[in-house]
Amino acid sequence: MSRPTIAITMGDPAGIGPEIIMKALAHPSVHSMCNPLVIGDAQRLRQAGMIIGTQLRVVALDDPAKAQFSSDSVQCVDLKLVPRDLPFGEVSAISGEAAFQYIKKAVEVVSSGQAHAICTAPLSKEALHAAGHKFPGHTELLAYLTGTPEVSMMLVSPKLRVIHVTTHIGLLDAIAKIEPGLVERVITRGYDTLTKAGIANPKIGVCAINPHAGENGLFGRGEEAEKITPAVEACKAKGWDVRGPLPADTLFFLAGRGDYDMVVAMYHDQGHGPIKVLGLEAGVNVSVGLPVIRTSVDHGTAFDIAGKGIADERSLVEALRQAVDLAPKPAAA
């Protein structure tokens, strides 16, 4: 099977993105599992390479088709947006605009078939806004660029996949927002992502909202029967292996030992907690429902340590691994 090409966006050039990219691409295992194609600025990557002391060559490309992948080089589609003297660790409209353009270019590269998935280094919301791009983050920006009306967040670790029905809203607002149509759409997005990645008939567990899945109405106000069960039954009617609503504590234990391919969490902390217990360096953020697969590191720009060569690249390595696992598989060479 030929290796998939993963478009890696450099993120905010004043953050740790350039450093963790250079560190990650120094791992031979990365090159053995994919063809990493960086969308960014070659000069900034060279600066980062000097900071971390790597021998990797950075090859500047004006066309992704010219990439010649090798384990001793970094192939970079060079947008030439970063001044040589741009300081690390500072918010600026220049770096925000650059981060926006890297994402825009990556979408073009994947949409044209020159890469199979996108893996993003972190950007700064503040810098993005300073550049005039009023998006909360990568997910909303990618949804805008691809014309996607609704996107779900999936967190992935080596032992667990969790897709969220709601994310960054308060708990009371989350419960109010949950309804059968939304739950069914989220399950469908997760199912489609897993099957396209080669997981036949994935086993999906759906969390309840209340303790003990409501204990037949003893806890809560009937949310399981009203908001979740109709969606589970609709998915079962399609022939899918979907089970729930199940008590979240037990479901996460079963999924962690391999009984389920994916868990559907109802709200932010219900899904994030179990993933982060497994280790921040292991968690990967996946945007589900876009026409392209996008994975991301599970951390921010870390301006306080940017340019010091001490940033940890393990989350990026894992994000690349998950991009490979979830990307539609290219045909054998």
Side-chain angles (χ1 to χ4, degrees), residues 43-173:
Q43 180 57 42
R44 194 62 161 184
L45 291 174
R46 293 188 186 109
Q47 286 179 298
M50 292 179 65
I51 289 169
I52 69 170
T54 183
Q55 300 299 310
L56 285 175
R57 296 179 296 112
V58 177
V59 179
L61 306 169
D62 58 9
D63 182 351
K66 296 179 180 178
Q68 297 183 349
F69 299 103
S70 65
S71 60
D72 64 350
S73 71
V74 174
Q75 303 293 307
C76 174
V77 178
D78 188 11
L79 301 192
K80 300 182 177 69
L81 298 173
V82 182
R84 185 183 293 267
D85 60 353
L86 182 78
F88 282 96
E90 296 183 13
V91 174
S92 73
I94 292 174
S95 59
E97 180 63 28
F100 174 84
Q101 294 297 334
Y102 302 152
I103 289 291
K104 184 178 179 182
K105 183 65 175 179
V107 169
E108 294 172 3
V109 168
V110 176
S111 298
S112 68
Q114 294 174 298
H116 302 94
I118 297 171
C119 181
T120 58
L123 55 69
S124 163
K125 183 192 304 183
E126 187 178 355
L128 194 67
H129 286 195
H133 303 294
K134 306 297 183 181
F135 297 95
H138 271 118
T139 301
E140 295 81 5
L141 173 53
L142 283 161
Y144 167 76
L145 290 172
T146 58
T148 306
E150 190 175 80
V151 181
S152 296
M153 174 190 291
M154 181 188 289
L155 296 183
V156 180
S157 77
K159 291 187 176 182
L160 200 59
R161 299 182 190 91
V162 184
I163 192 168
H164 293 69
V165 174
T166 66
T167 49
H168 296 113
I169 55 176
L171 184 55
L172 292 178
D173 293 331

Side-chain angles (χ1 to χ4, degrees), residues 272-298:
H272 279 59
I275 287 284
K276 293 193 174 181
V277 163
L278 297 174
L280 288 175
E281 75 284 350
V284 173
N285 187 332
V286 184
S287 298
V288 178
L290 297 168
V292 298
I293 287 295
R294 174 258 175 168
T295 67
S296 174
V297 294
D298 195 24

Side-chain angles (χ1 to χ4, degrees), residues 181-197:
L182 175 59
V183 175
E184 183 179 353
R185 292 194 301 274
V186 171
I187 295 171
T188 300
R189 282 192 281 273
Y191 177 90
D192 289 345
T193 298
L194 296 185
T195 54
K196 287 177 182 177

